[in-house]
């Protein structure tokens, strides 16, 4: 969570302009890794906009998350090409393997957080996953296991 | 079937050698490695590092350059070695482990043990065995305009782009009056490449004639369609062609400030554009008194946090304006009229065009009107970039004349479906588009034709679906996509799509009835007619087109409780 001074500083860097809620939230998430509830409240108060509207922005876009995540973020592309090439099956398989219950996206040991992503635009390499920003194509169960071993 | 390079292909090669001094920078060789987000998935950055190391270790006097991709995704990673005398070798399927063997082979005059093409002859290659790159249909059938310097030019060097003829289009346009520029765009019959296909020149004219002291320009680089990546590829491989087109457009319509709206999922694309903008500013193509004319214009990159609906122009404008104040907390579309051309960003006249449209404009002014209209159909001239993915042998991005058939695109350029699979359908236009069966693949691909078939050109993503995929499940996939992406503002889209999805779920779970199919059709047509924006208007397309062309498969699901692809787990496969 950021302190009030840090949030103030971010807001000031956008000229204190309430038009930039999306970009202010992007900056908070870049620093914290997610959007803590307290920081959303601060943004709402400092910009003098209703919390509901800030929350609306935070839940509208895919990039934002409201909960902390694991040490490594594993993103599965759910674009059309990845879907017809079976990324949904890989996703289910990995969730079962990691013992994630419905509604959970992070492993109990905080090692991995799993996310669905719309499309990385790497359709020719489908199915595609991304771990902490490194992108891997033509995935199979075996490759997935091997890749994830590299991220302790 | 051997074929030599065509005039335009020769032209790019000739331009390259005319710009020798810039391209080689005093070195004996130029070695390029194609690096973009997708090739990095195959380790292109590692290949680049290995090439740099090996070149240094062997003391080769070569300039190693990171370039974008030339669109041949299926043969990643690609390395090209070029010398002054006209030997231009293209290596495919290069891995870090193969770099050493590749360099050994090149410098001993043999292509043994590597997979290679050549762009130009030369004594260094064993000529009999190595085909010209233009001989393979994937490359040879293309007419490359937007993509013509892709994989050749260093995207981070404005000097290289200029040396190949870049920014000559801007210089040419600035010698004309804005009205003359617009007249050329109208006569070019260029239509918006983002999806709807509105005539570009007409749009520019509306913005130019709209009253307003300030005018804005937006480049739609949101590229939210799954299956489309041509905008990302272009921005990563040759960002200056987009910037050049934007400046020409700004001059024509009288805009002083431009925005590029890029999604945060594509960080490399945003980074490349931002760097290109800086370089253009340093060269005096952006800023005050551009090229010493009475014309000020600058561009800012805006990172979207990712929402499919933001590809819709009024929603995108809301997102740029700032979500929280402008339109009730989110970036929902607003009714048109007023169109952005009259009241857009901050209620000022605003031109919104797609990445590819701006790039086409740059080409139009670089090559001239006559060249531009030399390909295309009666109502729509020029080329379109398509992305080939899914169940197809040669995946990648290709640029072809508008009016080409799907058969040429999929079976000649793309090589058809992989061995052991059978072609079932082609999905075109993403979640707003439709699925077409084999019977329709000989129709010319243009805006009107696709619309009459129930699909849309969209941004040009083409996904081939084979017999292992269930058509009902594919349609359900798209519906799931649009249900989560609906902004929730208007009822038909918010509630109607959800009902359609529930019916589709029922059918794939074996609980569907024949009446369900009629319900789907009725509901889909109502949603298409009554939704506020393009998202809702087109969201039923995947279901409606599959119901129209693949009804049999739906009927099998509801009558015989059977899924012939074996995808719907609760149904029997035969």
């Amino acid at each position: 969570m950021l302190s009030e001074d840090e949030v103030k500083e971010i807001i000031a860097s956008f000229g204190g302009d309430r038009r930039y809620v999306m970009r202010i939230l992007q900056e908070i998430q870049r620093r914290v890794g997610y959007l803590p509830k307290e920081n959303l409240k601060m943004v709402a108060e400092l910009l003098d906009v209703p919390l509901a509207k800030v929350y609306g922005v935070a839940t509208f876009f895919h990039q934002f998350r409201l909960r902390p995540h694991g040490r490594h973020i594993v993103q599965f592309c759910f674009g059309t090409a990845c879907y017809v090439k079976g990324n949904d099956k890989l996703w289910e398989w990995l969730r079962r393997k990691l013992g994630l219950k419905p509604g959970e996206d992070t492993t109990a040991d905080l090692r991995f957080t799993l996310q669905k992503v719309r499309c990385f635009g790497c359709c020719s390499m489908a199915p595609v996953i991304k771990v902490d920003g490194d992108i891997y194509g033509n995935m199979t169960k075996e490759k997935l296991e091997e890749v994830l071993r590299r991220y302790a | 079937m051997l074929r030599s390079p065509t005039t335009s292909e020769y032209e790019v090669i000739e331009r390259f050698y005319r710009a020798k001094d810039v391209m080689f920078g005093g070195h004996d060789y130029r070695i390029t490695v194609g690096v973009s987000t997708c090739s990095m998935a195959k380790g292109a950055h590692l290949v680049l590092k290995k090439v740099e190391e090996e070149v240094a270790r062997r003391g080769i006097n070569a300039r190693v350059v990171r370039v974008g991709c030339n669109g041949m995704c299926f043969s990643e990673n690609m390395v090209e070695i070029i010398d002054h005398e006209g030997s231009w070798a293209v290596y495919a399927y290069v891995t870090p482990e193969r770099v050493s063997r590749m360099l050994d082979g090149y410098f001993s005059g043999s292509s043994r043990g590597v997979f290679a093409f050549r762009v130009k002859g030369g004594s260094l290659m064993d000529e009999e065995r190595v085909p010209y790159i233009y001989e393979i249909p994937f490359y040879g059938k293309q007419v490359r305009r937007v993509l013509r310097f892709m994989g050749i030019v260093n995207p981070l060097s404005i000097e290289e782009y200029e040396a190949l003829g870049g920014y000559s289009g801007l210089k040419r346009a600035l010698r004309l009056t804005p009205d003359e520029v617009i007249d050329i765009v109208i006569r070019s019959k260029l239509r918006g490449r983002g999806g709807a296909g509105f005539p570009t020149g007409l749009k520019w004219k509306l913005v130019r004639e709209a009253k307003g002291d300030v005018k804005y320009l937006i480049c739609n680089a949101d590229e939210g369609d799954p299956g489309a990546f041509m905008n990302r590829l272009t921005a990563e491989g040759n960002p200056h062609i987009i910037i050049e087109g934007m400046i020409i457009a700004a001059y024509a319509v009288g805009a002083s400030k431009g925005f590029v709206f890029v999604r945060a999922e594509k960080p490399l694309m945003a980074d490349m554009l931002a760097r290109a903008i800086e370089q253009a500013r340093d060269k005096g193509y952006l800023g005050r008194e551009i090229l010493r004319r009475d014309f000020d214009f600058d561009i800012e990159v805006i990172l979207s946090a990712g929402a499919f609906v933001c590809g819709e122009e009024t929603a995108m404008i809301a997102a740029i304006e700032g979500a929280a104040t402008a339109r009730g907390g989110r970036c929902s579309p607003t009714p048109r009229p007023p169109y952005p051309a009259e009241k857009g960003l901050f209620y000022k006249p605003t031109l919104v065009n797609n990445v590819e449209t701006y790039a086409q404009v740059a080409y139009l002014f670089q090559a001239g009107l006559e060249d531009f209209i030399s390909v295309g159909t009666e109502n729509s001239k020029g080329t379109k970039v398509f992305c080939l993915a899914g169940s197809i042998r040669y995946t990648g991005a290709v640029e072809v004349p508008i009016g080409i058939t799907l058969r040429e695109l999929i079976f000649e350029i793309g090589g058809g479906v992989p061995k052991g699979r059978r072609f079932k359908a082609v999905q075109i236009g993403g979640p707003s588009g439709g699925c077409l069966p084999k019977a329709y693949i000989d129709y010319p691909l243009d805006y009107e034709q696709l619309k009459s078939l129930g699909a849309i050109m969209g941004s040009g993503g083409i996904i081939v679906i084979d017999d292992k995929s269930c058509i009902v499940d594919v349609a359900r996939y798209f519906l799931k996509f649009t249900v989560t992406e609906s902004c929730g503002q208007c009822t038909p889209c918010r509630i109607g799509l959800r009902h359609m999805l529930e019916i589709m779920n029922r059918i794939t779970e074996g609980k569907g009835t024949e009446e369900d199919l009629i319900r789907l059709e009725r509901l889909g047509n109502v949603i298409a007619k009554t939704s506020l924006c393009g998202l809702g208007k087109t969201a039923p397309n995947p279901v409606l087109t599959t119901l129209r062309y693949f009804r049999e498969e739906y009927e099998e699901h509801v009558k015989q409780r059977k899924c012939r692809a074996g995808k719907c787990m609760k149904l029997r496969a035969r």
Side-chain angles (χ1 to χ4, degrees), chain B residues 238-266:
Chain B
N238 188 10
H240 283 290
I241 196 171
I242 303 164
I243 308 297
E244 182 177 357
M246 285 179 73
I247 305 171
I248 295 170
Y251 173 71
V253 302
S256 54
K257 178 82 201 262
F259 297 89
V260 188
F261 194 76
V262 192
R263 50 173 47 203
E265 275 119 316
K266 302 187 176 177

Side-chain angles (χ1 to χ4, degrees), chain B residues 52 54 88 95 98 130 135 148 153 156 166 238-239 333 353 395 407-408 458 485 504 530 532:
Chain B
E52 280 168 347
E54 279 295 309
W88 187 326
T95 58
R98 287 184 193 155
V130 182
E135 285 168 9
R148 67 178 170 158
V153 74
L156 293 175
N238 188 10
N353 276 142
T395 54
R407 180 182 298 279
E408 286 172 280
E485 294 294 341
M504 292 295 279
T530 54
L532 174 69

Side-chain angles (χ1 to χ4, degrees), chain B residues 358-372:
Chain B
Y358 287 121
Q360 292 281 1
V361 166
Y363 179 82
L364 165 63
F365 283 89
Q366 283 169 16
L369 180 62
E370 217 165 288
D371 178 285
F372 188 89

